[in-house]
Amino acid sequence: MVDLSSLLQKGRNCCAIARADRVALLVDGEAYFQAFMQACLRAQRSITILAWDFNSKTRLTYADDVGHPPLLGEFLNYLTRRRRRLHINILDWDYPMVFGGDREFSPLYGLSWAPHRRVHMHYDDTHPVSGSHHQKVVVIDEKIAFVGGFDLTCKRWDTPAHDPNEPRRTADNKPYPPFHDLMVLLDGEAASVLADLARTRWLRATGHRLPRTRVDGDAWPREVPIAFENVEVGIACTTPAASDNTEVRDVEQLYLDMIASAKRHIYIENQYFTCRKIGEALAARLREKGGPEIVLVTRLLSHGWLEEMTMHVLRTQLVHLLQTADHEQRFSVYYPHVEGLAPGTCIDVHSKMMAVDDECLRIGSANLSNRSMGLDSECDVLIEARGNEKVRNTIRDFRFALMAEHLNVATEEVARAVEATGSMQKAIAMLNKPDRTLKPLDDLPEYSETIVSTAAWADMEKPVSLDSLVEQFAPELKVEPRRARLWMKIGGTAAIFAGMMLIWRYTPLAEVFTAEAVTQWAADFSGHWWAPLLIILAYTPACVVMFPRPLITLAAVVAFGPYFGFVYALSGIVLAALISYVAGRAFDRDTVRRIAGEKLNRLSHVLQARGLMAMTAVRIVPVAPFVVSSLVAGAIRIRLWHYVAGTLIGMLPGVLAATIFGDQLEAALRDPSQINYWLVGGILALLVGGAVAVRRWFARLDRELPPHPQAEAQGAH
């Protein structure tokens, strides 16, 4: 067991331990937005906002006659006009366009909101590819700081009542479901530490240093009640590995230490529950005789089909793990329910908190997901009782208050029920009401290994890079991640195409390969019944002799059009892959090793161990020729469905790109005026941008991968 009196250990499970003179616990959007406004109105020199999302149209209050604008953007401009020495710095995650539908168009262009000249807004793009900046921190005059799960964005405001018919809960004049989240407000040395974190983030993202702020006066909002006074606060972060910073995994270790320290109970509220390490740690406590009671509160539904097929699949897997380990009926998972919600909606539990034995309380931005442990930036705070009975009672009362909100009863009723039954689960059952309660998350479906393996890609634990792939798959291969080599390849490809165009135009071939002739040949070819079969079969010898497969795809698209061309191309690649796989199974392994070379011995080991994920990675970032990796996969008897699915997923982007180019080539041959230069330019930009992004991704790899066992007897014996 971890010594609870010294749970926090700087450098192990937190980046700082600092004193806070005052700490407030803010539940739900109405309380947080009100406290934020009050604190900002007291700001003198600086307000710094770190955000996953920021929306200037966020409505902060519905009260009348507050004396200031109710919308966030107008409110911030109002503050700077009110105090001429005040500067507001907003650092928002530079999100991918896939998230654009739910976000405000960048205020930097002045179309949705024109920031005041002393409101400085920047987008932080220093995260790894597929990662995000997920910290939610607001620092005011370096005197006070908010930290937790709330972003200053739309669809966050709500009251603890979570009324299904709340008329004020709208965004863009459309209602949204109830939303539940938590935020901490603190001051003192702890606020100064968070101010340093914000300055570091700003410097890395913008290249400019924020000046330190020294002001007199108290920025604490007077109407916000104080929960704790004069307590030690641990600040835990996740920082993914990158070229300019070292990986930090305080968030993960603190979760593990808290779980290990529990003696009586663990109460958790979290948006996600997909982290395998956390799930296994909780399962280990459930297997113990007389271990702690564990209650998990999460949301019922997902945000869209993609999340449902990824994060909810992984959550179901972990819940089954804990239920299997729960021999003494000490684990329950619930979701808050209220009658009258629109179909397909639920109370959106967005909070990230954990309370253990009423000895420690943790609130922050980190989900119980793999990506929050190592891929996304996160920031949590922990408050410990350390023998202080007043602090312990406050933690207990806060836990009961959260349960009471979900059960729609008074906090005192929860306290009496828990005392009478000796169990949170029994108290929840005792206080159950049909219209508002905590319902068990049961009747969860069983998912196949295929679905679980595919879903894991949505919740990666750390950045992936070419060097890390090579380190895992083929450590003897030397990869030069220099950008110059990338541009040499791009330039060489462009030169080849330019040379082909010159030869076509200025040599006798111009008289033979006319547009009319080429299109006629394509039409004649596609008219034969055996033409599709020939295209499909052509990929197999092309893979063996390493003939460029995209040229066959181009020919297929010109002859058969983009749809059938795409189908024939993908079918041909899969057929070539299957033939190579069968050949690998037929050959003896010494023969395959001689073909593949000694440098790919470890590739065989990892393919065998990691199946679908490894096969997909090899197809996306080929560390060996197509036929070589196919033969190795067959020789080591990788599962056929892993092999086929990995090939399909990994080859899909390249085939799509070749199909689009082929379609435009066919349009140019028939009528040059029909070519869509915007589409061609966009695809080229995506390819070049993707290549640059991949190189950037590669440069931020984790160079301290754990050692992998060597393949058996120097290869696939």
Side-chain angles (χ1 to χ4, degrees):
M1 292 290 180
V2 176
D3 184 0
L4 196 61
S5 64
S6 59
L7 183 63
L8 291 171
Q9 298 177 43
K10 184 177 178 180
R12 169 185 165 84
N13 56 25
C14 63
C15 59
I17 304 172
R19 185 159 294 276
D21 301 322
R22 295 166 291 188
V23 178
L25 305 173
L26 305 171
V27 181
D28 296 319
E30 184 180 46
Y32 170 51
F33 287 169
Q34 184 66 24
F36 170 79
M37 288 186 299
Q38 293 175 5
C40 288
L41 288 168
R42 300 173 69 85
Q44 299 180 47
R45 298 290 300 277
S46 71
I47 300 172
T48 302
I49 299 170
L50 305 182
W52 181 83
D53 190 15
F54 175 93
N55 194 311
S56 66
K57 297 178 182 178
T58 301
R59 191 176 184 96
L60 299 173
T61 180
Y62 291 88
D64 297 326
D65 302 324
V66 292
H68 60 75
L71 300 186
L72 176 60
E74 297 173 2
F75 175 66
L76 297 180
N77 285 348
Y78 164 83
L79 294 173
T80 53
R81 290 193 298 267
R82 184 170 173 262
R83 292 189 182 273
R84 295 185 176 180
R85 302 183 69 188
L86 178 64
H87 286 260
I88 300 176
N89 308 295
I90 306 166
L91 191 61
D92 194 8
W93 171 41
D94 189 13
Y95 54 89
M97 288 307 296
V98 69
F99 290 95
D102 293 331
R103 291 175 177 258
E104 178 183 28
F105 189 74
S106 174
L108 297 180
Y109 301 104
L111 298 180
S112 57
W113 167 58
H116 187 275
R117 59 185 176 84
R118 281 184 277 111
V119 177
H120 316 288
M121 186 167 187
H122 291 274
Y123 287 92
D124 193 344
D125 64 352
T126 60
H127 52 85
V129 173
S130 77
S132 73
H133 283 307
H134 201 244
Q135 295 167 337
K136 299 102 186 310
V137 178
V138 178
V139 181
I140 299 177
D141 284 338
E142 302 193 23
K143 291 280 190 176
I144 64 172
F146 296 90
V147 60
F150 270 107
D151 283 299
L152 292 167
T153 191
C154 297
K155 300 183 181 180
R156 299 295 191 268
W157 185 94
D158 200 6
T159 70
H162 300 310
D163 186 344
N165 300 310
E166 170 59 66
R168 296 170 291 179
R169 200 174 55 235
T170 61
D172 294 328
N173 297 317
K174 297 178 182 178
Y176 59 89
F179 190 88
H180 174 70
D181 208 342
L182 307 174
M183 208 74 172
V184 173
L185 171 62
L186 44 76
D187 66 357
E189 184 188 4
S192 297
V193 171
L194 291 168
D196 289 339
L197 181 150
R199 271 195 300 272
T200 301
R201 279 277 309 274
W202 188 271
L203 175 62
R204 183 178 297 125
T206 69
H208 300 289
R209 296 181 183 276
L210 290 177
R212 291 187 177 274
T213 302
R214 292 180 173 85
V215 299
D216 296 326
D218 187 7
W220 189 274
R222 293 173 181 171
E223 297 180 15
V224 175
I226 299 169
F228 304 98
E229 293 183 283
N230 195 28
V231 292
E232 291 279 314
V233 175
I235 299 173
C237 293
T238 294
T239 303
S243 57
D244 58 346
N245 56 263
T246 305
E247 182 184 47
V248 176
R249 299 178 72 96
D250 301 333
V251 162
E252 177 183 73
Q253 190 59 53
L254 186 57
Y255 270 129
L256 296 174
D257 289 346
M258 291 176 70
I259 293 168
S261 73
K263 297 179 177 64
R264 300 183 305 279
H265 55 255
I266 301 173
Y267 178 79
I268 304 168
E269 289 188 4
N270 210 282
Q271 176 184 5
Y272 295 124
F273 182 54
T274 60
C275 179
R276 188 74 188 186
K277 286 184 181 179
I278 303 301
E280 290 175 346
L282 291 169
R285 300 308 314 273
L286 290 172
R287 295 187 188 101
E288 297 176 11
K289 186 176 181 180
E293 179 185 29
I294 300 172
V295 168
L296 168 64
V297 177
T298 187
R299 64 185 185 185
L300 172 63
L301 303 174
S302 60
H303 289 168
W305 67 269
L306 180 60
E307 192 172 278
E308 182 178 353
M309 293 306 298
T310 54
M311 304 302 279
H312 277 209
V313 168
L314 299 176
R315 181 181 75 178
T316 298
Q317 184 190 37
L318 283 193
V319 169
H320 285 323
L321 172 69
L322 268 62
Q323 290 172 339
T324 302
D326 185 21
H327 301 299
E328 299 179 352
Q329 306 303 307
R330 290 184 280 109
F331 169 69
S332 289
V333 55
Y334 302 93
Y335 65 92
H337 168 76
V338 58
E339 286 292 332
L341 286 176
T345 66
C346 66
I347 296 178
D348 192 347
V349 176
H350 197 262
S351 48
K352 303 96 167 55
M353 69 82 62
M354 179 183 284
V356 173
D357 292 342
D358 301 330
E359 294 289 343
C360 56
L361 172 65
R362 172 191 188 140
I363 295 174
S365 67
N367 291 306
L368 289 178
S369 62
N370 291 312
R371 60 185 305 117
S372 285
M373 304 302 137
L375 183 59
D376 296 342
S377 66
E378 306 286 4
C379 183
D380 291 4
V381 296
L382 178 82
I383 300 162
E384 292 183 291
R386 294 191 180 182
N388 186 318
E389 193 66 24
K390 185 177 180 180
V391 174
R392 185 181 294 116
N393 290 339
T394 302
I395 295 175
R396 179 201 62 203
D397 292 345
F398 183 66
R399 173 169 58 95
F400 289 162
L402 291 176
M403 295 173 61
E405 176 183 318
H406 299 314
L407 295 166
N408 197 27
V409 299
T411 302
E412 294 75 14
E413 288 187 63
V414 175
R416 288 193 294 268
V418 171
E419 183 178 357
T421 62
S423 163
M424 289 186 288
Q425 299 174 65
K426 293 178 181 178
I428 291 170
M430 177 186 294
L431 299 172
N432 177 47
K433 298 178 180 179
D435 59 334
R436 178 82 183 272
T437 190
L438 286 169
K439 283 192 172 184
L441 187 68
D442 50 19
D443 297 326
L444 296 175
E446 293 284 348
Y447 291 105
S448 68
E449 184 181 347
T450 306
I451 295 176
V452 173
S453 298
T454 304
W457 279 92
D459 190 28
M460 295 184 293
E461 184 179 348
K462 59 173 59 182
V464 181
S465 66
L466 176 60
D467 285 2
S468 61
L469 288 173
V470 172
E471 177 66 21
Q472 296 177 54
F473 300 155
E476 294 83 359
L477 289 177
K478 301 299 181 183
V479 176
E480 298 291 339
R482 294 177 299 175
R483 187 164 296 183
R485 292 178 62 89
L486 167 66
W487 291 112
M488 287 173 61
K489 291 179 179 179
I490 294 174
T493 303
I496 290 173
F497 278 100
M500 291 173 64
M501 292 176 64
L502 291 173
I503 292 172
W504 189 348
R505 181 162 186 175
Y506 295 109
T507 71
L509 291 176
E511 300 297 328
V512 178
F513 293 99
T514 64
E516 293 78 6
V518 172
T519 53
Q520 185 59 49
W521 293 340
D524 293 342
F525 173 72
S526 62
H528 296 288
W529 66 266
W530 44 261
L533 184 60
L534 182 62
I535 287 290
I536 292 172
L537 293 175
Y539 283 90
T540 299
C543 290
V544 174
V545 301
M546 300 183 189
F547 180 83
R549 294 185 304 274
L551 293 182
I552 305 177
T553 304
L554 291 174
V557 172
V558 171
F560 301 103
Y563 301 109
F564 285 107
F566 172 79
V567 171
Y568 297 154
L570 203 58
S571 301
I573 289 173
V574 172
L575 178 62
L578 285 172
I579 292 174
S580 303
Y581 175 86
V582 172
R585 291 182 66 94
F587 292 159
D588 65 85
R589 299 190 180 188
D590 286 334
T591 301
V592 172
R593 190 176 69 252
R594 285 194 298 271
I595 296 173
E598 293 293 334
K599 62 184 179 181
L600 291 176
N601 286 335
R602 202 169 173 196
L603 168 61
S604 65
H605 170 75
V606 177
L607 282 174
Q608 194 170 37
R610 302 195 179 184
L612 173 62
M613 295 177 68
M615 197 68 241
T616 304
V618 167
R619 293 306 193 203
I620 293 174
V621 185
V623 296
F626 183 94
V627 68
V628 170
S629 55
S630 301
L631 288 170
V632 171
I636 64 173
R637 307 301 194 265
I638 186 175
R639 293 184 182 180
L640 181 59
W641 75 265
H642 282 178
Y643 176 77
V644 173
T647 297
L648 278 170
I649 296 170
M651 300 302 296
L652 190 61
V655 177
L656 280 173
T659 300
I660 293 172
F661 273 117
D663 184 44
Q664 292 304 300
L665 175 61
E666 193 270 343
L669 289 172
R670 294 184 182 274
D671 183 358
S673 65
Q674 294 182 9
I675 189 168
N676 188 335
Y677 291 101
W678 286 104
L679 179 60
V680 173
I683 294 299
L684 284 172
L686 284 175
L687 290 176
V688 174
V692 172
V694 167
R695 284 299 178 184
R696 177 181 166 196
W697 185 7
F698 294 165
R700 294 179 177 182
L701 62 104
D702 176 7
R703 299 186 181 277
E704 297 181 357
L705 289 168
H708 293 274
Q710 295 295 325
E712 298 179 60
Q714 293 296 319
H717 285 292

